[in-house]
Amino acid sequence: MAAHGPRGSRGSHPARLSPSSATATEPSLGELVGEIGQDLSQLVRDEIERAKAEMKKESTKAGKAAGMRGGAGYAGQAALLFASLAVVLALANVMDPAWAALSVTAVWAVVGGVLDAQGRERLRTVNLKPEQTVDTLKEDARWARHLTS
């Protein structure tokens, strides 16, 4: 037992550190790469969700505008059919029935044109490019380039 000296056994010396205990608090290169991979994976998932939300919003706008144009067409057709018939019959009492029919048709054509123009104008405001997502992806790419340089 005297061979160990006054300090006691060799493994219990308080100043002695094993090589693994010195680096136990620092992550290994593999762990860092794994964390970066997880972070990038989460970033991509977040960006995809953002793009989906943007596309859904713009698609809803486009659907409503297209619906308005379709409604304008249907309303124009129904109006031409029923209102024209009623007005033509009423005007036929004061003018030739052919002129009465032509006059009523012209009025409904103007109404249909106005509705179509409004629907077309609203369609022009639709932007299907996910602007916020594109900007965020550009920012992410700049961030990733700075990590590697």
Side-chain angles (χ1 to χ4, degrees), residues 120-134:
R120 187 178 313 169
E121 183 179 321
R122 288 189 184 189
L123 271 176
R124 286 188 184 127
T125 66
V126 173
N127 181 11
L128 294 178
K129 181 179 175 185
E131 296 288 344
Q132 292 175 342
T133 303
V134 170

Side-chain angles (χ1 to χ4, degrees), residues 21 24-25 36 44 50 65-67 72 80 93 97 103-104 112 117 126 132 136 140 149:
S21 67
T25 59
I36 290 172
V44 168
R50 181 177 286 118
L80 284 171
N93 291 324
S103 300
V104 170
V126 173
Q132 292 175 342
T136 305
D140 294 343
S149 58

Side-chain angles (χ1 to χ4, degrees):
M1 301 256 163
H4 291 292
R7 295 182 184 178
S9 72
R10 295 169 113 186
S12 64
H13 189 276
R16 185 178 295 229
L17 295 174
S18 68
S20 64
S21 67
T23 59
T25 59
E26 296 178 22
S28 69
L29 180 60
E31 291 171 335
L32 289 174
V33 170
E35 286 180 25
I36 290 172
Q38 289 174 348
D39 289 347
L40 286 175
S41 178
Q42 183 62 45
L43 183 63
V44 168
R45 283 192 295 272
D46 291 347
E47 294 303 327
I48 288 171
E49 287 303 314
R50 181 177 286 118
K52 284 181 184 179
E54 264 188 276
M55 294 297 288
K56 183 177 180 181
K57 178 181 172 187
E58 290 299 312
S59 296
T60 300
K61 278 175 54 178
K64 287 179 181 179
M68 289 179 78
R69 293 197 74 192
Y74 181 77
Q77 182 182 12
L80 284 171
L81 179 64
F82 296 112
S84 294
L85 182 59
V87 174
V88 166
L89 291 173
L91 288 176
N93 291 324
V94 292
M95 66 174 66
D96 185 65
W99 284 110
L102 184 61
S103 300
V104 170
T105 300
V107 169
W108 290 119
V110 169
V111 170
V114 168
L115 289 173
D116 182 61
Q118 287 178 346
R120 187 178 313 169
E121 183 179 321
R122 288 189 184 189
L123 271 176
R124 286 188 184 127
T125 66
V126 173
N127 181 11
L128 294 178
K129 181 179 175 185
E131 296 288 344
Q132 292 175 342
T133 303
V134 170
D135 291 342
T136 305
L137 285 173
K138 287 178 183 178
E139 182 180 322
D140 294 343
R142 286 191 298 269
W143 174 79
R145 273 188 243 125
H146 289 298
L147 280 180
T148 58
S149 58

